[in-house]
Amino acid sequence: MEPLTEHRLVSGPVVYGFLRLVRVSRARQEALAASLAEYCRKHELQLSGLFTDRDAARSASAAFTGLLDVLALPDVYGVVAPAMSHLGPKAVGTERGRQIESAGARLLLVRHPRSMPSTVSRSGSVHRSRSGTTRVVDAKS
């Protein structure tokens, strides 16, 4: 890999994209692929290929099997996906995430899972207790 400078091209760590596209338009598919390419450009990653899964629920698809095969290649850094939902339904996605990590690759998500919303009082005061729960404090107390 070449050093980072303003005058040299940089070849970043090799990653592969994964999209789960069930009943999506061609325009949506192109937009998702473009978002992965832009994410890789911003983070100096080399997007070397894109695997597209069109199966709704099966955990063993040809696209995912192909992805696991390339993760065994030397110098592969990880997998880029728009969100965890692109790995499949919750149970399938969790298992696929585990398989990616057990292959020694990182799972990079463009959009991270939403955090739990906190409750805000009318005064805007929100306090979190040490246990991680949220407690609203009345402005009058």
Side-chain angles (χ1 to χ4, degrees):
M1 182 182 300
E2 294 187 32
L4 290 171
T5 69
E6 294 177 13
H7 304 288
R8 291 185 162 184
L9 294 175
V10 177
S11 60
V14 173
V15 294
Y16 288 87
F18 190 80
L19 295 173
R20 182 173 157 261
L21 303 172
V22 180
R23 294 184 304 257
V24 298
S25 68
R26 183 77 174 153
R28 175 79 173 145
Q29 178 179 343
E30 290 172 3
L32 286 168
S35 73
L36 293 185
E38 179 62 15
Y39 177 87
C40 291
R41 188 193 65 75
K42 282 184 179 178
H43 292 87
E44 298 180 344
L45 302 168
Q46 181 183 345
L47 184 60
S48 294
L50 184 61
F51 290 87
T52 304
D53 189 359
R54 297 193 183 276
D55 195 345
R58 289 189 325 150
S59 62
S61 69
F64 190 73
T65 301
L67 177 68
L68 290 177
D69 288 345
V70 299
L71 293 180
L73 296 173
D75 299 327
V76 174
Y77 183 71
V79 176
V80 178
M84 193 66 182
S85 62
H86 276 267
L87 294 180
K90 191 168 184 167
V92 173
T94 301
E95 176 59 23
R96 285 180 170 181
R98 187 196 63 71
Q99 289 175 324
I100 289 168
E101 289 176 3
S102 68
R106 292 187 178 203
L107 177 58
L108 307 167
L109 301 175
V110 174
R111 190 177 68 225
H112 294 282
R114 292 181 184 164
S115 60
M116 295 300 291
S118 61
T119 306
V120 179
S121 68
R122 290 182 184 193
S123 68
S125 301
V126 176
H127 294 279
R128 297 192 187 280
S129 67
R130 293 179 189 202
S131 66
T133 59
T134 302
R135 179 173 57 95
V136 177
V137 178
D138 189 359
K140 297 176 185 175
S141 51

